[in-house]
Amino acid sequence: MPAGRDVLLRADCVADSAGGLTFDVTAGGASSTAHLVLRRRDRHEEVGLPLAPVADGRLRAALPSTVALPEGRWDAYARVADGGPLRLAPGATDLRALTARTPSGSRGHVAVRIPYATRQGHLTVRSWLRAPHAEAAEPHVERAGLTVRGRLYGAFFAADAYAEVRPRHSPGPARRTEVTVDEARFAFSVAYPLLGPGVWDLWLRPHGETGPRVRIARLLDDIADKKPVFTYPRVRVRTPNGPVEAGPYYTRDNDLSVSVTAVS
C-alpha cells in the first residue's frame, strides 16, 4: 500500500532492557485517533499500536516485549484518523539498554527488535524471534580454524550435545564437532582443512540428533546489520583438495557462517 503522501513524520525510539520499544512521533499536536503501523516487508502482515498524545505535541506508542513480532524487517508508518499511512523517518534513537541485555530465556525463546534507518532514510525495525537461541560471543580466529563461544537460551544441553558445520548450497554431509559445555555456555572449534569451498553455516544440536537444530547468531546488541560492521581475517590453509582461504562472517540475518574459497 502506498504511503499516500511524500511527507515524512519523524519518530524517536527508546529501547528498554526487556526488549520493548517506545516510539515518540512528532505530529504537530494532532489529536485524532492515530496508530503506529509496523508492516512486515514482503508479507501481508501488520501490527498496529495506538498512538496516544504526550507532552510537546508528540504521540507515543509502545511495543512491549510481550507482543509477538515475527522475524523479519518491519517498516514503520503512522496512520492518523482515516488518512493513508505516512512513512516514518528515524529521529533520536536510544538503544543503550540493548547492549547490556541478558534475556532469561524462560519463555523458551528470545525476542530482539532493533530500529534502524534504511538507505532511503526511513524507519524500519529488524525483528528476530528464536526458539531456542544460541548467542555467539566474539569469534576467535586461529591459524587453521575458528573457536566459537556463546550462550544457549531457551533450552538445556544434554550429554550427547554437539555442534554442526553444514554446507549451505550443497547436499553434502554436515561436519560434526565436539562441544564443551558449562551450564548454558558452550564452545567448539571449526577446523578449516576439513571444509571444502563454499559457505558453511554453524548450528548447535543441544539435545543431540533427536533434538532441535539451533542456528548460531549474534543478536543481543544494538547493531541491526552486523555484516558490514564486524569483519574478521581470512587465513590460508592446505586441505586434501588444495589450498583455500577461509574466515567467519555474519549473514544479513546476523547468523554466523564460514566462507571457504579455493585459491591457486
Side-chain angles (χ1 to χ4, degrees), residues 21-166:
L21 295 175
T22 299
F23 303 87
D24 278 2
V25 178
T26 302
S31 58
S32 303
T33 302
H35 288 82
L36 186 142
V37 177
L38 296 175
R39 183 175 297 161
R40 193 176 180 189
R41 195 176 296 174
D42 302 325
R43 303 286 183 94
H44 297 291
E45 189 173 359
E46 288 186 352
V47 172
L49 306 170
L51 278 165
V54 291
D56 302 326
R58 293 173 295 151
L59 300 175
R60 177 170 295 172
L63 176 66
S65 60
T66 53
V67 173
L69 197 66
E71 188 159 326
R73 297 179 189 270
W74 295 77
D75 296 327
Y77 298 81
R79 181 184 287 126
V80 179
D82 296 327
L86 304 175
R87 195 70 165 93
L88 288 173
T93 302
D94 185 353
L95 305 181
R96 289 174 294 178
L98 297 181
T99 62
R101 185 181 174 218
T102 304
S104 67
S106 59
R107 297 176 183 168
H109 69 263
V110 169
V112 178
R113 296 87 176 265
I114 304 178
Y116 70 97
T118 69
R119 293 179 180 177
Q120 295 75 31
H122 296 152
L123 176 63
T124 294
V125 176
R126 182 64 173 95
S127 174
W128 290 266
L129 189 62
R130 299 286 173 96
H133 169 56
E135 176 72 9
E138 187 71 11
H140 179 64
V141 178
E142 300 170 334
R143 184 173 181 180
L146 175 72
T147 296
V148 178
R149 295 183 175 87
R151 179 170 181 154
L152 180 65
Y153 294 90
F156 62 89
F157 286 104
D160 54 350
Y162 61 91
E164 280 185 347
V165 186
R166 301 185 63 84

Side-chain angles (χ1 to χ4, degrees), residues 4-26:
R5 285 189 289 173
D6 293 330
V7 177
L8 290 182
L9 298 179
R10 194 167 299 278
D12 299 337
C13 298
V14 178
D16 62 45
S17 59
L21 295 175
T22 299
F23 303 87
D24 278 2
V25 178
T26 302

